[in-house]
Amino acid sequence: MLQNFILCFNAVLPSMIYLAIGIILRMNKVIDDRDVKRFTHIVFVALYPFIMFDNLYGKNVGEHLDFKLGAYALGFTILQFAVSWVFVCKTEKDNYDRGAMIQALFRSNFILMGFPIAMNLFGRGNITPVAIIMLLVIPFYNIATVVVFETFRGGKVDIKDMVKRILTNPIIDGGIAAAVVMLLHITLPETIANTVTALSDCTSPIALILLGAGLNLKDFESDTKKVAICTFGKLVFFPAFGIAGAVLIGLRGVPLVSVTLMVAAPVALASYAMASSMGGNGRLAGELVVTTTLISCLTIPVWLFILKTAGMF
């Protein structure tokens, strides 16, 4: 049992170290908010396509394309969104806070926390299910988030803009590029393939360091009750039901861990920018990113430990 816990903790430990490096850099004023925003955008645009491409290229996606996994991941995310909306609307009267809270409850930082942890557990080349879930879930995150904030600020959803956002998302573009290369049976020269792999490898460490640097601990002036409710819902309530449902439908191994990382990951870093730019409570959204990110470093190993001890992977 102790070995199982050490295994699960070690899978998360590199991410914790990267976050700590970012926090230390910020505390020592090596990097500030403007730097974080600029470099995060650069990483998102320039590196994220490679992490998706690298995890799909050269694979027989048909072998990994588990309909049950994809349907469950997307279906539970939609259910999570609906439950979050109903719960927040019944418990919170201020539209200014509603968007930030709903977003925090359903939108996960699956990209940053999911890929590196899964890779640490299963090794390179064995986590294609994670990439496939991302291709399904991330477009829904984008659509649902826009709908939430437009609804609570009294605006209208721009369908064309939403489609454009999805099609120009670097993560989706990386997946599309991999699909085109595989459909056309293109074999990349070894030098190029190695370069893609190198760019993919550096994405998570850099992004996590920037995430740590973006966790502004000094300006933390939270509404304790709202932060506590959303943190519990995001890291305990929804993971408990999401993981239990995945187990009940027979998911095991990498697919089960993929779902676990999807539902147990902290609030997406983009939540802060989205809330601030679309009339929501950006301060609350930022505090939820900080709180869930730090606490998830403890809760994710616990969820993985439970599954490992039960022999689920």
Side-chain angles (χ1 to χ4, degrees):
M1 185 175 292
L2 179 60
Q3 288 182 332
N4 288 342
F5 181 78
I6 292 174
L7 174 69
C8 296
F9 181 77
N10 283 340
V12 182
L13 182 59
S15 298
M16 295 169 63
I17 293 173
Y18 297 138
L19 289 171
I21 291 172
I23 293 172
I24 293 170
L25 289 175
R26 184 189 183 94
M27 291 174 63
N28 286 277
K29 300 181 180 179
V30 176
I31 188 169
D32 57 24
D33 280 332
R34 187 170 59 180
D35 295 327
V36 170
K37 290 178 182 178
R38 183 169 68 252
F39 289 119
T40 297
H41 179 69
I42 292 172
V43 170
F44 183 66
V45 173
L47 296 181
Y48 273 79
F50 292 103
I51 198 171
M52 179 62 74
F53 185 95
D54 187 53
N55 278 277
L56 292 175
Y57 172 70
K59 311 293 189 303
N60 184 345
V61 177
E63 293 180 358
H64 298 276
L65 197 58
D66 186 336
F67 175 78
K68 182 164 60 175
L69 169 64
Y72 181 79
L74 183 58
F76 186 82
T77 301
I78 294 172
L79 176 63
Q80 189 174 353
F81 169 66
V83 171
S84 299
W85 187 302
V86 172
F87 172 77
V88 171
C89 286
K90 286 190 175 182
T91 58
E92 176 56 48
K93 304 303 179 184
D94 189 351
N95 283 346
Y96 183 59
D97 291 342
R98 280 176 168 176
M101 293 177 69
I102 293 172
Q103 181 184 221
L105 285 168
F106 83 88
R107 190 178 187 186
S108 292
N109 204 352
F110 181 42
I111 306 167
L112 287 185
M113 302 298 283
F115 259 120
I117 294 173
M119 192 174 296
N120 289 337
L121 282 172
F122 300 107
R124 166 172 299 284
N126 298 315
I127 56 171
T128 303
V130 178
I132 291 173
I133 287 181
M134 286 173 59
L135 285 174
L136 293 172
V137 171
I138 288 173
F140 177 77
Y141 282 165
N142 293 337
I143 294 170
T145 302
V146 171
V147 171
V148 166
F149 284 108
E150 290 293 2
T151 298
F152 292 117
R153 74 173 181 179
K156 294 183 179 179
V157 177
D158 187 332
I159 302 298
K160 289 184 179 179
D161 181 65
M162 194 153 44
V163 172
K164 181 181 177 182
R165 284 173 179 265
I166 293 171
L167 294 178
T168 57
N169 186 302
I171 298 168
I172 303 301
D173 290 345
I176 293 173
V180 170
V181 168
M182 289 185 292
L183 287 173
L184 296 178
H185 302 289
I186 298 173
T187 301
L188 297 180
E190 185 177 356
T191 302
I192 295 178
N194 290 340
T195 301
V196 169
T197 298
L199 289 168
S200 173
D201 287 343
C202 74
T203 302
S204 292
I206 295 174
L208 285 167
I209 289 172
L210 289 169
L211 174 58
L215 300 180
N216 193 345
L217 306 180
K218 290 185 178 179
D219 296 336
F220 204 90
E221 300 174 359
S222 68
D223 182 320
T224 305
K225 182 178 179 180
K226 292 174 185 176
V227 171
I229 289 173
C230 290
T231 299
F232 177 81
K234 187 73 191 73
L235 301 181
V236 179
F237 180 81
F238 282 121
F241 283 94
I243 295 168
V247 170
L248 287 175
I249 67 169
L251 295 182
R252 298 291 186 272
V254 180
L256 176 58
V257 172
S258 300
V259 170
T260 299
L261 294 173
M262 180 190 79
V263 297
V267 177
L269 180 61
S271 299
Y272 168 73
M274 185 66 78
S276 299
S277 64
M278 297 193 68
N281 190 337
R283 177 188 57 78
L284 177 60
E287 290 170 359
L288 286 165
V289 171
V290 173
T291 304
T292 57
T293 298
L294 295 177
I295 295 178
S296 70
C297 292
L298 301 176
T299 56
I300 290 176
V302 170
W303 289 119
L304 294 175
F305 170 70
I306 292 171
L307 294 178
K308 183 64 176 177
T309 303
M312 300 292 179
F313 72 91

